[in-house]
Amino acid sequence: MNEPAAPIRVLLADDEAMIRHGVRLILRHADGIEVVAEAADGRQAVEKAAAHHPDVALVDIRMPVCDGLAAIAPLLALDPAPRVVMLTTFGDDDNVVRALREGAAGFLLKDEGPQELISAVRAAAAGDAVLSPGVTGTVISRMLRSGTPQEAGEALADKRLTPLTGREREVLAMLGQGLSNQDIATRLGIGVGTVKTHVGAILDKTGSASRVQAALLAHRTGLAS
């Protein structure tokens, strides 16, 4: 008899107690998710993450003492490291771009509905990128525009694709389209575990810190077109 899967352990970091309370209530009623710690600033978030080993850290961008952006690197340096999802408001695109460049797994608008929040936690825990549809296009475009000059960037990107196998290029193209591991598995007729293996190889071979950075690479090289 198969034992039930361990719940997804979540850390909430937001300086507004009402926001933390609301998120906690939503996640409390979701199957297979457990809020194990809360923090009011980035420094506390790192300390609580080190003590409680969350699978996913939901981190507000704007907090006192140490903001969410400054907390990304120390969170990702933990062993094991949580998947960091930034909580943000509409119009904070510049900070979202910086967060993604520093390795955050994605971002979620604070006014998203309960189901979107639950789905984001599950997606992050599964290794997928978390990108709020309302601002994803703007953020991706801004990241592409703020990168290296086009010709140099494309030359570098092409070199980064060289080590990839044909199947890995297929998977990278689908990452660029925003597909989840399950979606990719279904489209290619392979197992989710195999997709995770391919994604890990893509990140390693291309030097991408996250699925989001890999997705940007797919766009720069035209794989995601």
Coordinates of all heavy atoms in Angstrom, one line a residue, residues 104-163:
A104 N 14.7 33.6 -8.7 CA 13.3 33.3 -8.2 C 12.6 32.4 -9.1 O 12.8 32.5 -10.4 CB 12.5 34.6 -7.9
A105 N 11.8 31.5 -8.6 CA 11.1 30.6 -9.5 C 9.9 31.2 -10.2 O 9.3 30.6 -11.1 CB 10.5 29.4 -8.6
G106 N 9.5 32.4 -9.8 CA 8.4 33.1 -10.5 C 7.8 34.2 -9.6 O 8.4 34.5 -8.5
F107 N 6.6 34.6 -10.0 CA 6.0 35.7 -9.2 C 4.5 35.5 -9.3 O 3.9 34.9 -10.2 CB 6.4 37.1 -9.7 CG 6.1 37.3 -11.1 CD1 4.9 37.9 -11.5 CD2 6.9 36.9 -12.1 CE1 4.6 38.1 -12.8 CE2 6.6 37.1 -13.5 CZ 5.5 37.7 -13.8
L108 N 3.8 36.0 -8.2 CA 2.4 35.9 -8.2 C 1.8 37.2 -7.7 O 2.3 37.8 -6.7 CB 2.0 34.8 -7.2 CG 0.5 34.4 -7.1 CD1 0.1 33.6 -8.4 CD2 0.3 33.5 -5.9
L109 N 0.8 37.7 -8.4 CA 0.2 39.0 -8.0 C -0.6 38.7 -6.7 O -1.3 37.7 -6.6 CB -0.7 39.5 -9.1 CG -0.1 40.0 -10.4 CD1 -1.1 40.4 -11.4 CD2 0.9 41.2 -10.1
K110 N -0.6 39.7 -5.8 CA -1.3 39.5 -4.5 C -2.8 39.4 -4.7 O -3.5 38.9 -3.8 CB -0.9 40.7 -3.6 CG 0.5 40.6 -3.0 CD 0.7 41.7 -2.0 CE 2.1 41.5 -1.3 NZ 2.3 42.5 -0.2
D111 N -3.3 40.0 -5.8 CA -4.8 39.9 -5.9 C -5.3 38.7 -6.7 O -6.4 38.7 -7.1 CB -5.3 41.2 -6.5 CG -4.7 41.5 -7.9 OD1 -3.9 40.7 -8.4 OD2 -5.0 42.6 -8.5
E112 N -4.4 37.8 -7.0 CA -4.8 36.5 -7.6 C -5.8 35.8 -6.7 O -5.8 35.9 -5.5 CB -3.6 35.6 -7.9 CG -2.6 36.2 -8.9 CD -3.0 36.0 -10.3 OE1 -4.2 35.7 -10.6 OE2 -2.2 36.2 -11.2
G113 N -6.7 35.0 -7.3 CA -7.6 34.2 -6.5 C -7.0 33.1 -5.8 O -5.9 32.7 -6.0
P114 N -7.8 32.5 -4.8 CA -7.3 31.4 -4.0 C -6.8 30.2 -4.8 O -5.8 29.6 -4.5 CB -8.6 31.0 -3.2 CG -9.4 32.2 -3.1 CD -9.2 32.9 -4.4
Q115 N -7.5 29.8 -5.9 CA -7.1 28.7 -6.7 C -5.8 28.9 -7.4 O -5.0 28.0 -7.5 CB -8.2 28.3 -7.7 CG -7.9 26.9 -8.3 CD -7.7 25.8 -7.3 OE1 -8.6 25.6 -6.5 NE2 -6.6 25.1 -7.4
E116 N -5.6 30.2 -7.8 CA -4.3 30.5 -8.5 C -3.2 30.4 -7.5 O -2.1 29.9 -7.8 CB -4.4 31.9 -9.1 CG -5.2 32.1 -10.3 CD -6.7 32.0 -10.1 OE1 -7.1 32.2 -8.9 OE2 -7.4 31.8 -11.1
L117 N -3.4 30.8 -6.2 CA -2.4 30.7 -5.2 C -2.0 29.3 -4.9 O -0.9 28.9 -4.9 CB -2.9 31.4 -3.9 CG -2.0 31.2 -2.7 CD1 -0.7 31.9 -2.9 CD2 -2.7 31.8 -1.4
I118 N -3.1 28.5 -4.7 CA -2.8 27.0 -4.5 C -2.1 26.4 -5.6 O -1.1 25.6 -5.5 CB -4.2 26.3 -4.2 CG1 -4.8 26.8 -2.9 CG2 -4.0 24.8 -4.2 CD1 -6.2 26.4 -2.7
S119 N -2.5 26.7 -6.9 CA -1.9 26.1 -8.0 C -0.4 26.6 -8.1 O 0.5 25.8 -8.5 CB -2.6 26.5 -9.3 OG -3.9 26.0 -9.3
A120 N -0.1 27.8 -7.8 CA 1.2 28.4 -7.8 C 2.1 27.6 -6.9 O 3.3 27.3 -7.2 CB 1.2 29.9 -7.5
V121 N 1.6 27.3 -5.7 CA 2.4 26.6 -4.7 C 2.7 25.2 -5.2 O 3.9 24.7 -5.1 CB 1.7 26.5 -3.3 CG1 2.4 25.5 -2.4 CG2 1.7 27.9 -2.7
R122 N 1.8 24.6 -5.7 CA 2.0 23.2 -6.3 C 2.9 23.2 -7.5 O 3.7 22.3 -7.6 CB 0.6 22.6 -6.6 CG -0.2 22.2 -5.4 CD -1.6 21.7 -5.7 NE -2.3 21.3 -4.5 CZ -3.6 21.2 -4.4 NH1 -4.4 21.6 -5.4 NH2 -4.2 20.8 -3.3
A123 N 2.8 24.2 -8.3 CA 3.6 24.3 -9.5 C 5.1 24.5 -9.1 O 6.0 23.9 -9.6 CB 3.1 25.4 -10.4
A124 N 5.3 25.4 -8.1 CA 6.6 25.7 -7.7 C 7.3 24.5 -7.0 O 8.4 24.1 -7.3 CB 6.6 26.9 -6.7
A125 N 6.5 23.8 -6.2 CA 7.0 22.6 -5.6 C 7.4 21.5 -6.6 O 8.3 20.7 -6.4 CB 6.0 22.0 -4.6
A126 N 6.6 21.5 -7.7 CA 6.9 20.5 -8.8 C 8.0 20.9 -9.7 O 8.4 20.1 -10.6 CB 5.6 20.3 -9.6
G127 N 8.6 22.1 -9.5 CA 9.7 22.5 -10.3 C 9.3 23.4 -11.5 O 10.2 23.7 -12.3
D128 N 8.0 23.7 -11.6 CA 7.6 24.6 -12.7 C 7.8 26.1 -12.3 O 7.9 26.5 -11.2 CB 6.1 24.3 -12.9 CG 5.9 23.0 -13.6 OD1 6.8 22.5 -14.2 OD2 4.8 22.4 -13.4
A129 N 7.8 26.9 -13.4 CA 7.9 28.3 -13.2 C 6.5 28.8 -12.8 O 5.5 28.2 -13.2 CB 8.3 29.0 -14.5
V130 N 6.4 29.9 -12.0 CA 5.2 30.5 -11.6 C 5.1 31.9 -12.1 O 5.9 32.8 -11.7 CB 5.0 30.5 -10.1 CG1 3.8 31.2 -9.6 CG2 5.1 29.1 -9.5
L131 N 4.3 32.1 -13.1 CA 4.2 33.5 -13.7 C 2.8 33.9 -13.9 O 2.0 33.3 -14.6 CB 4.8 33.4 -15.1 CG 6.3 32.9 -15.2 CD1 6.7 32.7 -16.7 CD2 7.2 33.8 -14.5
S132 N 2.4 35.0 -13.2 CA 1.1 35.5 -13.2 C 0.8 36.0 -14.7 O 1.5 36.8 -15.2 CB 0.9 36.7 -12.3 OG 0.8 36.3 -11.0
P133 N -0.3 35.4 -15.3 CA -0.6 35.7 -16.7 C -0.7 37.2 -17.0 O -0.4 37.7 -18.0 CB -1.9 35.0 -16.9 CG -1.9 33.9 -15.9 CD -1.3 34.5 -14.7
G134 N -1.3 38.0 -16.0 CA -1.6 39.4 -16.2 C -0.4 40.2 -16.6 O -0.5 41.3 -17.3
V135 N 0.8 39.9 -16.1 CA 2.0 40.7 -16.4 C 3.2 39.9 -17.0 O 4.2 40.5 -17.2 CB 2.4 41.4 -15.1 CG1 1.5 42.5 -14.6 CG2 2.7 40.4 -14.0
T136 N 3.0 38.7 -17.3 CA 4.1 37.9 -17.8 C 4.7 38.4 -19.1 O 5.9 38.6 -19.2 CB 3.6 36.4 -18.0 OG1 3.3 35.8 -16.8 CG2 4.7 35.6 -18.6
G137 N 3.8 38.8 -20.0 CA 4.3 39.3 -21.3 C 5.1 40.5 -21.1 O 6.2 40.7 -21.7
T138 N 4.6 41.5 -20.3 CA 5.4 42.7 -20.0 C 6.7 42.4 -19.4 O 7.8 43.0 -19.8 CB 4.6 43.6 -19.1 OG1 3.3 43.9 -19.7 CG2 5.3 44.9 -18.8
V139 N 6.8 41.5 -18.4 CA 8.0 41.2 -17.7 C 9.0 40.5 -18.7 O 10.2 40.9 -18.7 CB 7.8 40.3 -16.5 CG1 9.0 39.8 -15.9 CG2 7.0 41.1 -15.4
I140 N 8.6 39.6 -19.4 CA 9.5 38.8 -20.3 C 10.0 39.8 -21.4 O 11.2 39.8 -21.7 CB 8.7 37.7 -21.0 CG1 8.3 36.6 -20.1 CG2 9.6 37.1 -22.2 CD1 9.5 35.9 -19.5
S141 N 9.2 40.7 -21.9 CA 9.6 41.7 -22.9 C 10.7 42.6 -22.3 O 11.7 42.9 -22.9 CB 8.4 42.5 -23.4 OG 7.5 41.7 -24.1
R142 N 10.4 43.0 -21.1 CA 11.4 43.9 -20.4 C 12.7 43.2 -20.1 O 13.8 43.8 -20.3 CB 10.8 44.4 -19.1 CG 11.6 45.5 -18.4 CD 10.9 46.2 -17.4 NE 9.7 46.9 -17.9 CZ 8.9 47.8 -17.2 NH1 9.2 48.0 -16.0 NH2 7.9 48.4 -17.8
M143 N 12.7 42.0 -19.8 CA 13.9 41.2 -19.5 C 14.7 41.0 -20.8 O 15.9 41.1 -20.8 CB 13.6 39.8 -18.9 CG 13.1 39.9 -17.5 SD 12.8 38.3 -16.7 CE 14.4 37.8 -16.3
L144 N 14.0 40.8 -21.9 CA 14.7 40.6 -23.2 C 15.3 41.9 -23.6 O 16.4 42.0 -24.1 CB 13.7 40.2 -24.2 CG 13.2 38.7 -24.1 CD1 12.0 38.4 -25.1 CD2 14.3 37.7 -24.3
R145 N 14.6 43.1 -23.4 CA 15.1 44.4 -23.8 C 16.3 44.8 -23.0 O 17.2 45.5 -23.5 CB 14.0 45.4 -23.8 CG 12.9 45.3 -24.8 CD 12.2 46.7 -24.9 NE 11.7 47.1 -23.6 CZ 10.5 46.8 -23.2 NH1 9.7 46.0 -23.9 NH2 10.1 47.3 -22.0
S146 N 16.3 44.4 -21.7 CA 17.4 44.9 -20.8 C 18.6 44.0 -20.8 O 19.5 44.2 -20.0 CB 16.8 45.0 -19.4 OG 16.4 43.7 -18.9
G147 N 18.6 43.0 -21.7 CA 19.8 42.1 -21.7 C 20.9 42.6 -22.5 O 21.0 43.8 -22.7
T148 N 21.8 41.8 -23.0 CA 22.9 42.2 -23.8 C 22.4 42.7 -25.1 O 21.3 42.4 -25.6 CB 23.9 41.0 -24.1 OG1 23.1 40.0 -24.7 CG2 24.5 40.5 -22.8
P149 N 23.2 43.5 -25.9 CA 22.9 43.9 -27.2 C 22.4 42.7 -28.1 O 23.0 41.6 -27.9 CB 24.1 44.6 -27.7 CG 24.8 45.1 -26.5 CD 24.5 44.0 -25.5
Q150 N 21.5 42.9 -28.9 CA 20.9 41.8 -29.6 C 21.9 40.8 -30.3 O 21.8 39.6 -30.1 CB 19.9 42.3 -30.7 CG 19.1 41.2 -31.3 CD 18.0 41.8 -32.2 OE1 17.9 42.9 -32.5 NE2 17.2 40.9 -32.7
E151 N 22.8 41.3 -31.1 CA 23.7 40.4 -31.8 C 24.6 39.7 -30.9 O 24.7 38.4 -31.0 CB 24.5 41.2 -32.8 CG 23.7 41.8 -34.0 CD 24.6 42.5 -35.0 OE1 25.8 42.5 -34.8 OE2 24.1 43.0 -36.0
A152 N 25.2 40.3 -29.9 CA 26.0 39.6 -28.9 C 25.2 38.6 -28.1 O 25.7 37.5 -27.9 CB 26.7 40.7 -28.0
G153 N 24.0 39.1 -27.7 CA 23.2 38.2 -26.9 C 22.8 36.9 -27.7 O 22.8 35.8 -27.2
E154 N 22.5 37.1 -29.0 CA 22.1 35.9 -29.8 C 23.3 35.0 -30.0 O 23.1 33.8 -30.0 CB 21.5 36.4 -31.1 CG 20.1 37.0 -30.9 CD 19.5 37.5 -32.3 OE1 20.3 37.5 -33.3 OE2 18.4 38.0 -32.3
A155 N 24.5 35.6 -30.2 CA 25.6 34.7 -30.4 C 25.9 33.9 -29.1 O 26.2 32.7 -29.2 CB 26.8 35.6 -30.7
L156 N 25.8 34.6 -28.0 CA 26.0 33.9 -26.7 C 25.0 32.8 -26.5 O 25.3 31.7 -26.1 CB 26.0 34.9 -25.6 CG 26.0 34.3 -24.1 CD1 27.4 33.6 -23.9 CD2 25.9 35.4 -23.1
A157 N 23.7 33.2 -26.8 CA 22.6 32.2 -26.6 C 22.8 31.0 -27.5 O 22.6 29.9 -27.1 CB 21.3 32.9 -27.0
D158 N 23.2 31.2 -28.8 CA 23.4 30.1 -29.7 C 24.5 29.1 -29.1 O 24.3 27.9 -29.2 CB 23.9 30.6 -31.1 CG 22.7 31.2 -31.8 OD1 21.6 31.0 -31.5 OD2 23.0 32.0 -32.8
K159 N 25.6 29.7 -28.6 CA 26.6 28.8 -28.0 C 26.1 28.0 -26.8 O 26.5 26.9 -26.6 CB 27.8 29.7 -27.6 CG 28.6 30.2 -28.7 CD 29.8 31.1 -28.2 CE 30.6 31.6 -29.4 NZ 31.7 32.5 -28.9
R160 N 25.2 28.6 -26.1 CA 24.6 27.9 -24.9 C 23.7 26.8 -25.3 O 23.5 25.8 -24.6 CB 23.8 28.9 -24.0 CG 24.7 29.9 -23.4 CD 24.0 31.0 -22.7 NE 23.2 30.5 -21.6 CZ 22.3 31.3 -20.9 NH1 22.1 32.5 -21.3 NH2 21.7 30.8 -19.9
L161 N 23.2 26.8 -26.5 CA 22.3 25.7 -27.0 C 23.1 24.5 -27.6 O 22.6 23.4 -27.7 CB 21.4 26.2 -28.2 CG 20.3 27.3 -27.8 CD1 19.5 27.6 -29.0 CD2 19.5 26.8 -26.6
T162 N 24.4 24.8 -27.9 CA 25.2 23.7 -28.6 C 25.2 22.4 -27.8 O 25.1 21.3 -28.4 CB 26.6 24.2 -28.8 OG1 26.6 25.4 -29.6 CG2 27.5 23.2 -29.5
P163 N 25.4 22.4 -26.5 CA 25.4 21.1 -25.8 C 24.1 20.3 -25.7 O 24.1 19.1 -25.3 CB 25.9 21.5 -24.4 CG 26.4 22.9 -24.4 CD 25.6 23.5 -25.6

